[in-house]
Amino acid sequence: MAALLLKVSISLLIPLASYGHHPCLRKCIAGHSMQCHYNFTIEWYHTLSKACYDCPFNITDCYRPECIAADGKRRAVIAINRQVPGPSVHVCEGDEVIVSVQNMLEDGLATTIHWHGQHMLGTPYMDGVGQVTQCHIQHQETFVYHFMASPAGTHWYHAHTGMQTADGLFGPLIVHQPAGADPSDNLYDQDLPEHVFTVYDWSSELSMATYMSVMHDVFDVTLPRSILVNGRGQGYNVTDKYGIIKTNLTHAQTPLEVVHVQKGSRYRLRFIGASSVCPLQVSIDNHQLIVIAVDGQPLDPRPLDTFIINPGERYDFVLNADEVPGCYWIRLIGLSDCYFAKANGVAILHYEDVSLENLLEILPFREKLLNPILDDTSDISAHGWNHSVILTDDMRFALHTNFSEQVVDFKYFVGMDFNKNDNTKYNNKDLYPVQTLPLLKSHYTPVMDNITFMLPPVPVLSQPEDMDYSWFCNRSTLPDPDYCFSQDLCMCTHLLRVHLNQVVELIVFHEGRVFSENGHSIHLHGHSFHLLGLGKIGSSLSRADLENLENNGHLRRNFIQPPVRDTVNVPDGGYAILRFKANNPGYWFFHCHTDSHLQQGMALLIQVGDHSNLPPLPADFPRCGGMGFSNALRWPCPDNLSAGANKVVIFFSIHLVSLVIIML
């Protein structure tokens, strides 16, 4: 422990990373917006590189520019401007954000960046989903993202290509407001950029290598090894790679994140769940927190002691620095796969003017838990503790809303599960059919409505004239609903279409036929939704049972000030009721935020409005797609699907003809 304290105390001599140097990080004034320019260079990089000199043997070197210390494990990363997490973007609501992204990945990988939490109203082409809203950014190409910062709140950006987020391509995006605009701003004195906590699981290997191992060999739940806070953690003893003994010290540990507060001040803390797999349980020793926002949207304040943050979620809290001055642990407990791997993390809350040697070993409060994992119908727990709990849908939006009289125009049930069938991409049913494999080598494909989402070969938003509408499907075009569960995968561009300004209610449920697990963290692009209800029915939940519960009025809904979110964890054997007004025309991704689940196709598109409702395509917008689109895969289907498929083709063909007539 003494060595740890020495490292942390030396870190106080090093200026905090460039938080305060961009002109757009300022006090926001109503009616005054700015253009905020950023340059991102994406490249392969490495932890403990030459830029780190003697880090962590000389702890000061760990804070040098371009040094990524991480958890002490030497590994390749995908970095932005040689930083993981990437540069912090702080702007004011209404600012023009202009980010020039240059792809310098040496191996030729393409990439895109999604601005998670930003609605992109009027700029749907900037949402950052390759082959949906834009072409992928190819090697040595530059793409300029240009959008208005809205809504305000704690958000983040991350890759939306392959498994790149898990390798480091992400960072904070904070949209500030003028004084008085936040309903809770009277509760805190300070809202500082250094009080943004990007928390995530971190593996010792490249994510694609891990993914391929799981897909083609053995499932391993112990793969996440560390939990990091703002890129810092201690998972490994670092040994000098040349075997050189420095002052008789052959190994050391990388530094932890240290957060500074002053006695008597109240601080806004912003937490971003950037995990690729695991939920994280977070607490601060001897300090209670007051939750004031979720996913950027204000809440009626609620006190709590610990909370769980799932991939993609964001929570804002007020911390009152009124305890005995000293140093307190910020504890992060990895759940789900990270729990099996015993992956935990810590950071330090440091009262200024107190030595870091004054580390107080005080256990966190164990009373009020926010956002619990629903284990079964009778037990709510987190890491074995008994708590009084605040359920996700128990939170209340800070502004008065009442949806008891609102008419729903479009209601749709979306089922999720894992299908044990011969995924032709990862199983050869002639050589090693999945039904003959041992459990750990079996492949269970995550799906929505038994459909595996396939990216189209051209971006459907920006190149509608190049689309082949036979690529699209949804549950209504399928044959017997169980066909895609028991046979080969049904692969297509899974699409739901709603009219502009319709009130949409999605009842998303996890069937749980195969695994009992922590559920799926689901994110909607382009909109926030009111979370009217969330619950767990049992260890599994069939579509028929859920529809019966709904038809008989047994699904609980709260219509008064339901929380507003863009990401929610749907429990295994449970459901979530999401309602939103489809007032943002475009093609919006709706998907699981576990990287490997999305990579395998747990997603769908929601088309809001038609192409006549879209804003003009930006000038010189990139185009892509080869002659004949030879990379367009077709999903296997029996002959009796053709009638339904033809209906889809006819529907979209008429739509395209109408668009051409309008354009003429």
Side-chain angles (χ1 to χ4, degrees), residues 54-76:
D54 288 331
C55 169
F57 304 102
N58 178 350
I59 203 70
T60 304
D61 285 343
C62 298
Y63 298 88
R64 287 179 176 270
E66 299 188 2
C67 176
I68 300 174
D71 61 354
K73 172 68 175 180
R74 289 187 170 91
R75 55 155 291 181

Side-chain angles (χ1 to χ4, degrees), residues 57 71 88 226 298 441 540:
F57 304 102
D71 61 354
S88 296
S226 301
K441 286 183 177 285
S540 62

Side-chain angles (χ1 to χ4, degrees), residues 307-585:
F307 66 96
I308 293 174
I309 187 167
N310 295 288
E313 295 180 334
R314 291 90 65 212
Y315 286 97
D316 291 31
F317 302 94
V318 173
L319 177 139
N320 190 355
D322 59 356
E323 295 299 325
V324 175
C327 296
Y328 296 85
W329 289 117
I330 302 172
R331 301 177 188 265
L332 298 96
I333 301 171
L335 305 176
S336 184
D337 289 3
C338 291
Y339 179 77
F340 292 105
K342 296 181 172 56
N344 299 324
V346 291
I348 294 177
L349 180 75
H350 169 245
Y351 280 71
E352 293 182 358
D353 302 322
V354 174
S355 169
L356 273 157
E357 295 182 1
N358 186 18
L359 188 59
L360 304 176
E361 289 282 356
I362 302 174
L363 289 176
F365 293 119
R366 299 185 173 187
E367 296 177 0
K368 295 180 181 178
L369 164 69
L370 171 66
N371 196 27
I373 291 173
L374 304 182
D375 288 334
D376 56 41
T377 54
S378 61
D379 180 40
I380 298 172
S381 64
H383 196 57
W385 294 351
N386 294 319
H387 299 268
S388 62
V389 298
I390 305 172
L391 297 175
T392 302
D393 59 334
D394 283 340
M395 295 183 289
R396 293 292 172 260
F397 188 48
L399 307 179
H400 180 70
T401 52
N402 186 339
F403 298 99
S404 57
E405 302 299 324
Q406 187 179 52
V407 176
V408 174
D409 302 306
F410 180 86
K411 181 188 291 187
Y412 198 83
F413 292 82
V414 180
M416 300 180 295
D417 208 351
F418 294 88
N419 285 357
K420 185 179 180 181
N421 49 17
D422 281 308
N423 184 324
T424 53
K425 187 170 183 179
Y426 303 114
N427 282 86
N428 187 317
K429 64 180 180 180
D430 295 323
L431 299 178
Y432 41 95
V434 69
Q435 299 297 337
T436 67
L437 297 174
L439 179 63
L440 289 180
K441 286 183 177 285
S442 294
H443 186 85
Y444 293 84
T445 302
V447 292
M448 282 188 172
D449 282 348
N450 289 329
I451 296 170
T452 295
F453 181 84
M454 179 183 67
L455 283 171
V458 296
V460 293
L461 180 69
S462 60
Q463 294 179 224
E465 67 279 8
D466 292 331
M467 289 194 294
D468 180 340
Y469 293 102
S470 66
W471 297 337
F472 298 98
C473 76
N474 57 42
R475 183 173 173 81
S476 68
T477 70
L478 294 178
D480 180 342
D482 287 333
Y483 172 82
C484 301
F485 171 70
S486 59
Q487 304 298 321
D488 292 345
L489 261 64
C490 294
M491 300 179 65
C492 65
T493 301
H494 191 174
L495 178 73
L496 301 180
R497 185 178 185 271
V498 300
H499 297 296
L500 188 63
N501 293 320
Q502 280 189 319
V503 174
V504 177
E505 187 168 281
L506 299 179
I507 302 179
V508 188
F509 64 102
H510 187 350
E511 296 182 73
R513 291 177 291 194
V514 179
F515 296 122
S516 176
E517 33 122 32
N518 291 328
H520 296 282
S521 188
I522 302 298
H523 173 52
L524 173 63
H525 291 215
H527 298 78
S528 293
F529 51 78
H530 296 274
L531 180 63
L532 298 186
L534 182 143
K536 184 176 175 67
I537 303 301
S539 59
S540 62
L541 176 62
S542 71
R543 179 181 296 270
D545 287 343
L546 183 67
E547 291 180 352
N548 184 58
L549 289 169
E550 169 67 0
N551 293 336
N552 288 293
H554 293 158
L555 291 188
R556 133 182 116 89
R557 282 176 172 80
N558 166 55
F559 295 112
I560 309 301
Q561 293 177 246
V564 180
R565 311 202 57 169
D566 58 46
T567 308
V568 64
N569 191 64
V570 181
D572 178 64
Y575 66 92
I577 304 173
L578 322 180
R579 187 181 291 186
F580 64 97
K581 187 172 184 179
N583 57 5
N584 190 5

Side-chain angles (χ1 to χ4, degrees), residues 177-190 266 268 292:
Q177 292 177 294
D182 175 15
S184 296
D185 64 2
N186 64 317
L187 298 180
Y188 55 89
D189 309 307
Q190 303 280 351
R266 302 170 303 169
R268 181 173 188 154
I292 59 171

Side-chain angles (χ1 to χ4, degrees), residues 46-51 53 55 57 74 238-244 246 250:
H46 212 274
T47 62
L48 297 175
S49 67
K50 292 178 286 187
Y53 283 68
C55 169
F57 304 102
R74 289 187 170 91
V238 181
T239 302
D240 184 87
K241 58 185 173 183
Y242 298 113
I244 300 173
K246 302 178 187 300
T250 58

